[in-house]
Amino acid sequence: MFLVNRLEDVELPPIGATDVLVKMLAAPINPSDINMIQGTYAILPDLPAVGGNEGVAQIVEVGGQVTSLKAGDWVIPKDAGLGTWRTAAVLAEDDVISLPNNIPLLSAATLGVNPCTALRMLADFEDLKPGDSVIQNAANSGVGQAVIQIAAAKGISTINVVRDRPEFTQLSDRLKAMGGTHVIKEEALRRPEMKEMFKTCPKPKLALNGVGGKSATELLRHLQYGGSMVTYGGMAKKPVTVPVSALIFKDVKVRGFWVTQWKRDHSSDGKAFRAMLDELCQLVQQGKLTAPACTEVSLQDYGEALDSAMQPFTSAKQVLIM
Amino acid sequence: MFLVNRLEDVELPPIGATDVLVKMLAAPINPSDINMIQGTYAILPDLPAVGGNEGVAQIVEVGGQVTSLKAGDWVIPKDAGLGTWRTAAVLAEDDVISLPNNIPLLSAATLGVNPCTALRMLADFEDLKPGDSVIQNAANSGVGQAVIQIAAAKGISTINVVRDRPEFTQLSDRLKAMGGTHVIKEEALRRPEMKEMFKTCPKPKLALNGVGGKSATELLRHLQYGGSMVTYGGMAKKPVTVPVSALIFKDVKVRGFWVTQWKRDHSSDGKAFRAMLDELCQLVQQGKLTAPACTEVSLQDYGEALDSAMQPFTSAKQVLIM
């Protein structure tokens, strides 16, 4: 397959009675967007298609039967596959959900995937109480940063694992400033100093895995008896390897989470999604949840933004500004 | 550590008010008994210790305050670690639980571990209904044979995976005669004929893994969306490897089960264990659950029996007869 990404001018369709005309404001480039373009993602659009699955838009005009939205409202997609890398679109009222428009633009543009993933993983697998702890790898990823902040807001400690790098100390300081309790390097997971840490921090009930391979196995070793590991990504492109003894004698539960599936499973009643966004927006308004470091790029420069997003160790998310 | 197994004559202690004097009738040699002797099991007794964790005994005499048991009753251990490879013992009333003594001796001697494991795994992880299917490896093991029979009694199809061997056809016939729906070789799991099978048999909601390694990964591939794989053994001595995509996009749940832990978790109220044994004994009495192929060996010949039990591809369980 030969795939071309290009900017095109497309005539907008007329606005039907249950449609809305939106102006896209900002849309990030996420790893899953790139996998979708590469054809390696679990869901693939019919081609030609508009790239991008996340972003915030402003309502410009609504059809005659639209009651839930009005001009000026900010909205985000309800499901993946909407195609957010464009300046304007005519969408079904039911394809989008509103956000308050008094939160930062970059927070709104990046709220629908990573913070939702983080919140659900913290809520749906283990009954976490203030004082409990969670361990995660890829702690500097979009999900990782949201996990740190949402957990901190709930009084839950986080043990944050990152790959070693020259500027480890700065990264550690940044993640701690955001609410991370401990920040450690991958290699430290196998070292005796972990025992020291667990003298003051309870063993985690929950491990969040965005990497796979050895990193995931190391997270498992530190789980509490009966705890869960939830995999939401596989950056290392290696499977999750679980010792038989951990399953039988430690009763660890190995699960996965995909926010797109969660949204689809909850699409018939919109209340769960609404409640989740309200909770997240409240954290944003209280200053407890900030967007990850972003590089704002004009839509015209999408080529450079895609290249940057594909570099390893990218520390800033590329966000297209329309 | 240098470990000696030997027969010894030991003076029995006096029978206390809440004790029972039992005569052991028959006790199997299970792989976990051998791991315990080798010091590689999750629970290890203080030494010197009597080997064996399973078996059936007959009550000879009861202490003055014993009300739940009487002379002549058949009993089995409630927990691992009792030491069943002996002719007689004085035990606490609470260490044992009664069985009807009108079931075959070998069924009684082998009921407390493998059939309990099979029944719980079929009951506690997925809501299986008649017509549903289960896939398992190690289908010829003690647990495997119990799974086939208990599932068949509930109207659940089983897809039984065994290692290839010269007498595959005889084994397949035997497992099918016992109620197994499909019997296939490990290699077949990767072949297109699986698709043929799934035209008539629903994809399994549950996979039972007693092997680990590649075999477990192959079971996972055939699970239904959202299904569970439960690991109860690791004969291959290799970990369970789970593709990240199976966790995220197929929502497979990877769990473990240890019947000893289940018994301990349910020891405070005895009802769940009683109900499970009643259900299993009823299946035995109806001819729907038979003991696995056993070789009866006199206690004096325990050395040969241990050697035989440690051979690969053993098709008969060694049972010590006292």
Side-chain angles (χ1 to χ4, degrees), chain A residues 225 232 240 242 248 254 256 261, chain B residues 225 232 240 242 247-248 254 261:
Chain A
Y225 176 91
Y232 65 91
V240 171
V242 189
I248 301 180
V254 179
Q261 190 61 48
Chain B
Y225 177 91
Y232 65 91
V240 172
V242 189
L247 292 167
I248 300 180
V254 179
Q261 190 62 46

Side-chain angles (χ1 to χ4, degrees), chain A residues 249-305:
Chain A
F249 301 123
K250 219 175 136 185
D251 195 26
V252 299
K253 299 166 179 72
V254 179
R255 304 285 305 270
F257 182 74
W258 187 30
V259 74
T260 297
Q261 190 61 48
W262 185 93
K263 288 173 183 172
R264 290 175 183 182
D265 291 345
H266 293 77
S267 64
S268 58
D269 103 37
K271 283 182 195 165
F273 195 11
R274 179 79 270 157
M276 173 165 65
L277 291 180
D278 288 349
E279 184 178 346
L280 290 171
C281 289
Q282 210 174 354
L283 291 175
V284 173
Q285 287 159 339
Q286 292 167 348
K288 293 177 179 170
L289 177 62
T290 57
C294 290
T295 302
E296 302 182 37
V297 184
S298 140
L299 180 61
Q300 279 70 27
D301 301 328
Y302 74 94
E304 284 164 44

